[in-house]
Amino acid sequence: MPQKLVANGNYAAAYAVKLARVRVIAAYPITPQTAVVEKISEFIANGQMNAEYIKVESEHSAMSACIGASAAGVRTFTATSSQGLLYMHEMLHWASGSRLPIVMAQVNRAIAPPWSIWVDHNDSISQRDTGWIQFYCENNQDILDTLLQAYKVAEDPRVLLPAMVCYDGFELSHTAMPLELPDHRTVDAFLKPYNTEHALIDLEKPTTHGNLVSPELYMEFRLLIQKAMENARLVISETASEFSKQFGRDYESQVQCYKCRDIDVAIVSMGAISSEAKEAVDRLRKEKLPVGAVKLRVFRPFPVEALQELGKRVKAFVVIDRDISFGMEGALFTELKSALFHLEEKPLVLGFIAGLGGRDIRIRDLTRSARKGFDALKKG
């Protein structure tokens, strides 16, 4: 039977790792992620988890340890944030290039300088081209559920790519919320044991990996990663559907919509902002304004087809980015415009930067942004 408890986002991630029967955890502390690996260490010390806990000297080493363990044929996990994710950067490419289904909790935190321990999405967005699947979570239940789904997606033979599950520092990592914790039997039925055929290392049949290749071959390897990312769209959808049926919580592929029937304007967001966006929609609906909210669960692979379908019936998108690509604009804003480019009748797309370095995003900020969408439609 499911267990009900109140837990913060970091503990939700730790419980998911326990339920997924992860066998190797590489641990290195960084605020606001530290409590994830601390809680896992308690599980192992208390005999609640059968796993190897590796205390490493850096985030670069944490990912290196996961790469070695995954290549040897076991389910692995680590967690990081902000500067730590940047320090991992080189090894993120090694993980995806080696097609290893590592899963990592990435607790979003602003990049220094100036130093900040509060949230924005620039840390994970800056890693969008490393070949990792990227999920973004709205609340603590979402964190637990998405980590379980991430393992199933990453380990699917059609994918075999690493995945990071991103959630907002402090707003989720340190905020306690009601949580439904499924039992091991239910999770085991959903997430099968790690398939050792994924292992690259076999001591009985030694091989080499990651060798020097000629230009003629290098591009082929990158094509395989691209195809795996494209496959991931379908696998994410299948996994979300299976999870929804088995656990009774609704997940819609890469994009989730809130009150999106017969609307003119959609507020588009990722992460914890999505909860505020729903409240903003509810307030605007009281004024009879046709507005809805669109939450991206997945940023990589980018949900092009789902957004194009929405673009055929929505007149304007109001995009709230918690990141900025300096010299251009918000990354989600840019990519949404690109996804809609080939539509014959293109909707308006307005972009707003908000919440950098943990600045509050208030309901009135979102309602004001949505009103600007309606104003733009009136102007034609």
Side-chain angles (χ1 to χ4, degrees):
M1 291 290 293
Q3 178 185 353
K4 303 281 188 178
L5 69 157
V6 176
N8 63 40
N10 282 337
Y11 281 17
Y15 279 115
V17 172
K18 176 174 173 284
L19 287 166
R21 300 191 187 277
V22 174
R23 289 294 175 256
V24 172
I25 294 92
Y28 191 81
I30 184 171
T31 302
Q33 167 277 125
T34 305
V36 180
V37 291
E38 284 181 342
K39 189 64 176 176
I40 293 172
S41 73
E42 289 181 20
F43 291 148
I44 295 172
N46 295 336
Q48 296 174 273
M49 274 186 75
N50 176 22
E52 292 291 329
Y53 189 86
I54 306 173
K55 294 176 284 185
V56 295
E57 71 276 10
S58 71
E59 291 87 357
H60 188 282
S61 299
M63 186 50 58
S64 298
C66 286
I67 288 170
S70 185
V74 294
R75 187 170 288 155
T76 64
F77 174 82
T78 191
T80 193
S81 181
S82 188
Q83 316 294 136
L85 181 65
L86 305 191
Y87 194 21
M88 277 186 185
H89 178 74
E90 177 192 7
M91 302 316 295
L92 297 183
H93 284 282
W94 276 92
S96 60
S98 300
R99 306 293 301 279
L100 297 172
I102 299 163
V103 172
M104 171 169 63
Q106 154 52 29
V107 186
N108 288 112
R109 168 186 148 187
I111 300 295
W115 280 104
S116 171
I117 59 171
W118 291 279
V119 60
D120 66 38
H121 294 162
N122 264 106
D123 52 356
S124 54
I125 291 293
S126 69
Q127 308 302 312
R128 62 182 171 177
D129 299 329
T130 55
W132 280 62
I133 297 167
Q134 287 195 0
F135 294 90
Y136 285 80
C137 300
E138 178 184 352
N139 53 49
N140 295 355
Q141 188 70 60
D142 208 6
I143 294 169
L144 186 148
D145 295 348
T146 303
L147 275 162
L148 295 176
Q149 292 177 59
Y151 276 110
K152 193 172 182 70
V153 172
E155 293 172 9
D156 190 288
R158 294 167 290 179
V159 179
L160 290 178
L161 286 175
M164 63 178 73
V165 176
C166 308
Y167 57 94
D168 291 9
F170 291 101
E171 293 187 9
L172 296 183
S173 66
H174 286 63
T175 301
M177 301 179 185
L179 190 69
E180 183 173 292
L181 195 67
D183 57 50
H184 262 302
R185 182 178 299 178
T186 307
V187 174
D188 288 345
F190 171 75
L191 182 63
K192 304 302 181 185
Y194 188 86
N195 186 348
T196 55
E197 291 182 5
H198 300 333
L200 300 179
I201 299 172
D202 184 343
L203 297 180
E204 301 300 321
K205 300 176 182 178
T207 57
T208 58
H209 302 277
N211 286 344
L212 181 70
V213 297
S214 66
E216 290 78 11
L217 288 176
Y218 183 89
M219 243 179 115
E220 303 304 318
F221 283 102
R222 290 301 173 263
L223 177 61
L224 291 173
I225 294 175
Q226 176 65 14
K227 287 183 176 179
M229 273 288 185
E230 292 169 356
N231 291 343
R233 289 191 178 93
L234 175 61
V235 177
I236 289 167
S237 179
E238 293 174 350
T239 301
S241 177
E242 182 181 347
F243 187 94
S244 298
K245 291 176 183 176
Q246 198 154 335
F247 294 85
R249 289 187 288 278
D250 290 336
Y251 284 90
E252 301 173 35
S253 190
Q254 294 179 272
V255 172
Q256 288 187 294
C257 298
Y258 179 75
K259 296 186 177 180
C260 286
R261 182 176 296 176
D262 299 324
I263 61 171
D264 291 341
V265 173
I267 303 171
V268 184
S269 62
M270 300 192 302
I273 309 172
S274 302
S275 291
E276 280 72 24
K278 292 175 182 176
E279 178 63 25
V281 165
D282 288 342
R283 294 188 187 185
L284 292 168
R285 283 293 186 100
K286 291 178 181 178
E287 301 175 29
K288 308 300 182 183
L289 290 173
V291 59
V294 175
K295 177 182 76 172
L296 264 70
R297 292 187 63 227
V298 184
F299 185 71
R300 279 292 183 272
F302 197 72
V304 175
E305 293 180 0
L307 292 170
Q308 286 177 342
E309 286 303 310
L310 281 168
K312 293 175 182 177
R313 55 188 178 86
V314 174
K315 296 178 181 178
F317 289 100
V318 173
V319 182
I320 312 297
D321 265 290
R322 204 164 199 168
D323 65 87
I324 183 168
S325 179
F326 297 112
M328 190 57 176
E329 55 204 8
L332 178 54
F333 180 42
T334 299
E335 300 216 359
L336 178 57
K337 289 188 295 181
S338 176
L340 301 175
F341 180 77
H342 294 291
L343 293 182
E344 290 185 11
E345 294 186 17
K346 299 179 183 62
L348 291 173
V349 185
L350 284 70
F352 298 89
I353 307 295
L356 300 186
R359 179 173 289 193
D360 284 342
I361 301 173
R362 297 161 297 186
I363 304 300
R364 66 174 178 265
D365 297 326
L366 297 175
T367 56
R368 188 182 300 125
S369 299
R371 291 183 195 281
K372 289 185 177 181
F374 285 107
D375 290 343
L377 288 175
K378 289 177 183 177
K379 293 176 183 177

